[in-house]
Amino acid sequence: MYSELPYAFAQVAIETIYVAIQTVVYSLILYSMIGFEWKVGKVLYFYYFIFMCYTYFSMYGMMVVALTPGHQIAAITMSFFLNFWNLFSGFLIPRPLIPVWWRWYYWCSPVAWTIYGIFTSQVGDKKDPLEVDGLGEQRLNEFLKEYLGFDHDFLVPVALAHIGWVLGFFFIFAYGIKFLNFQRR
């Protein structure tokens, strides 16, 4: 009934409104429970990364549904990628400990970018001393950079990468509903 591209834009606009509201509630609860610093810049970065995470997952879901012929195949496809995204996100295994031949997948995981952004924006600028068994005393920002691979100077490209994920999933979704029509008449 509707043209494909206006439908795609309308779908994204509706998703964005409720994701923004949902993110406010979630961010306030989670931010206060974690105990991060209540500085405007840090709160806004946290909100931004959580909002973009919710948004790219919404876009990813719409994209997978648009690219597959049925909800069963969409669920299988989605779970396949989600498992690898979570495995290579740097949460279970830090990026420096991921084998070199698999590290490329870390950068292909949008979840890794979100974890990178949240960690770096909240504690990546701290120079507090940190006592690590076997390593002695080290500054927190140096520990994050050396052992977890989080560099505070890389925060702006991480924020821009989130826009790239959202736009990429959106354009693939729009392409999918415009050129792949799995409906039978």
Side-chain angles (χ1 to χ4, degrees), residues 7-178:
Y7 171 76
F9 282 110
Q11 186 73 29
V12 170
I14 291 298
E15 292 279 334
T16 304
I17 291 169
Y18 85 80
V19 164
I21 295 167
Q22 178 183 4
T23 305
V24 167
V25 174
Y26 179 78
S27 293
L28 287 175
I29 293 170
L30 185 64
Y31 199 86
S32 61
M33 287 178 62
I34 292 174
F36 287 141
E37 285 183 86
W38 285 94
K39 292 183 177 178
V40 174
K42 291 187 177 213
V43 171
L44 290 176
Y45 261 128
F46 187 81
Y47 177 82
Y48 172 78
F49 287 121
I50 297 297
F51 173 75
M52 294 305 276
C53 179
Y54 282 177
T55 304
Y56 70 65
F57 269 113
S58 294
M59 297 299 117
Y60 175 69
M62 291 187 295
M63 176 191 77
V64 170
V65 167
L67 295 178
T68 56
H71 64 280
Q72 295 93 353
I73 295 174
I76 292 167
T77 304
M78 181 171 280
S79 65
F80 175 79
F81 283 103
L82 285 179
N83 285 329
F84 279 104
W85 285 355
N86 288 329
L87 181 63
F88 291 102
S89 68
F91 185 76
L92 298 174
I93 305 168
R95 179 174 42 99
L97 296 180
I98 295 174
V100 175
W101 57 88
W102 276 109
R103 247 179 242 167
W104 63 271
Y105 202 84
Y106 172 88
W107 298 110
C108 293
S109 169
V111 179
W113 291 90
T114 300
I115 291 174
Y116 194 116
I118 290 173
F119 266 88
T120 306
S121 67
Q122 300 305 312
V123 295
D125 61 341
K126 300 241 182 243
K127 295 181 173 32
D128 298 342
L130 179 68
E131 186 69 36
V132 180
D133 291 338
L135 300 175
E137 190 172 292
Q138 210 172 14
R139 289 184 175 181
L140 180 57
N141 63 340
E142 293 171 356
F143 176 80
L144 287 174
K145 187 173 183 178
E146 187 174 339
Y147 293 99
L148 298 178
F150 298 141
D151 187 6
H152 191 264
D153 296 334
F154 196 58
L155 192 55
V156 173
V158 171
L160 294 174
H162 279 76
I163 295 171
W165 284 110
V166 169
L167 291 176
F169 290 155
F170 167 72
F171 285 123
I172 295 171
F173 163 64
Y175 173 83
I177 62 172
K178 180 156 179 68

